[in-house]
Amino acid sequence: MKHEERETEYNVSTVVHFVLLGFSELPNLQGFLSGVFSIIYMVILIGNSLIVIITRLDPALHKPMYFFLAHFSILEICYVSVTLPRYLVSLWTQDKSISPLSCATQLCFFLILGTTESFLLAVISYDRYVAICNPLHYPVVMTPKKCHQLSIGSWIGEMPVEKGQTWQIFSLHFCHSNQINHFFCDIPPIFKLACGDTSVHEVSVYVVVILVGAVPCVLILVSYSKIIATILRFPTAQGRTKAFSTCSSHLLVVVLFFGSASITYFRPKSSHSAGTDKLISLFYTIVTPMINPVIYTLRNQDVIAALRRLFLKT
């Protein structure tokens, strides 16, 4: 596809549409990728929807922990739906073009939902901290009103920031190429197409990422350091095992999400390569939403029991 551009009044060539290359370096595997990603998307939809259903239908799961888990599953469905269906359509139709407005919209929702995930993971760690470290105060602290406030804050608190960041990124002139070497519109590959010096914009991105990513991550680490210290003081091995089992599921999700996202956004610019960036992005955009239901069900006896009751009824 040709590089379409137009001349601005400043005599700078400006891209009028983008091309998402995806995994075009693997031409013989396009059909295979289409099949694999279609299956993965269905697994994500079914697995996370099942968690939402059982947490709503089973009275034993009407607790703050599972209230947040249901929100997390809804988030994962939305998160993967921002990127994967668009890429699947491009694989099926071989039309890889995307307008700047569509690209900006995809990036904006991707950033908003990614930040929401960061906040929700911090909220879940706070819930576990109160439940384990202050169990007598748990019913008073984690009231239904408080749970709704925390969930709503996680969903909408970051919207103005991410909208502003998206506007800032797409206020740049793009003249190097119109080919985004990625399977969705993400910040690093978009910056590579921009004209002139983007250092100021990159610094602003790092500042926002630190605020919405690193700060929640630090809060999670602090919460779990206190949780682990409390668990180690439990008098019985059975109590310690149950507490560790509940918390380890959440910690594994935290490591997968924050670890892969940190590698993408905090690596030195010189070490970025399109192939590596795409593989790492697969972890926090597709792999993590796919394995989250497995992590939370296999390591949580309450969820397993609820699933058994659901399937026995049917």
Side-chain angles (χ1 to χ4, degrees):
M1 188 172 292
K2 287 187 177 181
H3 177 185
E4 293 185 14
E5 55 187 26
R6 65 186 174 203
E7 296 293 324
T8 70
E9 59 180 321
Y10 299 105
N11 199 30
V12 176
S13 298
T14 303
V15 170
V16 296
H17 81 265
F18 294 110
V19 176
L20 286 170
L21 296 180
F23 295 92
S24 55
E25 68 272 21
L26 304 171
N28 297 328
L29 295 179
Q30 298 303 296
F32 173 76
L33 290 175
S34 174
V36 169
F37 286 139
S38 297
I39 293 170
I40 288 175
Y41 188 49
M42 292 303 299
V43 169
I44 291 171
L45 293 180
I46 294 170
N48 285 284
S49 297
L50 191 57
I51 289 180
V52 175
I53 291 169
I54 62 173
T55 54
R56 293 287 294 174
L57 296 181
D58 198 306
L61 300 184
H62 291 175
K63 301 174 183 177
M65 175 182 175
Y66 300 109
F67 171 81
F68 293 125
L69 179 57
H71 273 268
F72 193 74
S73 294
I74 294 170
L75 171 66
E76 295 292 51
I77 292 172
C78 296
Y79 190 50
V80 76
S81 295
V82 169
T83 58
L84 194 51
R86 174 66 184 75
Y87 180 55
L88 285 173
V89 170
S90 72
L91 285 173
W92 296 334
T93 63
Q94 294 301 304
D95 181 10
K96 299 179 181 180
S97 63
I98 183 171
S99 68
L101 178 60
S102 297
C103 191
T105 302
Q106 185 185 60
L107 177 63
C108 185
F109 277 102
F110 172 74
L111 294 176
I112 288 172
L113 293 172
T115 305
T116 300
E117 181 157 348
S118 176
F119 287 175
L120 266 180
L121 288 171
V123 167
I124 294 173
S125 70
Y126 174 70
D127 171 74
R128 292 298 82 207
Y129 164 75
V130 177
I132 294 173
C133 299
N134 298 287
L136 297 179
H137 295 92
Y138 186 69
V140 179
V141 175
M142 300 304 293
T143 61
K145 181 180 179 180
K146 181 70 169 290
C147 291
H148 282 93
Q149 288 174 339
L150 289 170
S151 62
I152 292 172
S154 297
W155 280 96
I156 68 174
E158 74 287 347
M159 284 187 180
V161 175
E162 299 301 356
K163 286 180 180 178
Q165 188 176 55
T166 303
W167 177 85
Q168 183 187 48
I169 291 170
F170 279 86
S171 66
L172 294 166
H173 287 296
F174 301 100
C175 57
H176 291 165
S177 171
N178 71 332
Q179 297 185 340
I180 300 175
N181 198 355
H182 214 298
F183 62 93
F184 68 96
C185 294
D186 199 3
I187 294 175
I190 290 175
F191 270 149
K192 291 180 180 179
L193 308 185
C195 311
D197 184 15
T198 61
S199 57
V200 174
H201 295 80
E202 290 174 16
V203 169
S204 69
V205 168
Y206 286 132
V207 171
V208 172
V209 170
I210 288 172
L211 290 175
V212 303
V215 172
C217 186
V218 170
L219 293 175
I220 291 170
L221 293 176
V222 171
S223 297
Y224 271 98
S225 64
K226 295 183 177 181
I227 289 171
I228 293 171
T230 302
I231 291 175
L232 292 175
R233 292 197 296 268
F234 281 8
T236 64
Q238 184 178 2
R240 289 193 295 271
T241 301
K242 184 178 180 180
F244 271 124
S245 177
T246 302
C247 295
S248 61
S249 303
H250 180 236
L251 271 177
L252 182 55
V253 173
V254 168
V255 170
L256 287 171
F257 177 75
F258 283 106
S260 55
S262 297
I263 293 172
T264 297
Y265 291 101
F266 288 114
R267 273 189 306 154
K269 190 175 180 180
S270 58
S271 66
H272 277 268
S273 69
T276 303
D277 286 348
K278 283 185 280 190
L279 288 175
I280 295 172
S281 297
L282 285 175
F283 275 92
Y284 62 87
T285 59
I286 297 176
V287 175
T288 302
M290 180 181 65
I291 66 175
N292 279 350
V294 178
I295 293 173
Y296 281 115
T297 53
L298 292 183
R299 300 190 63 82
N300 191 302
Q301 296 302 316
D302 292 338
V303 175
I304 292 175
L307 284 171
R308 286 173 179 166
R309 287 190 290 269
L310 177 66
F311 288 119
L312 285 175
K313 287 181 182 178
T314 57

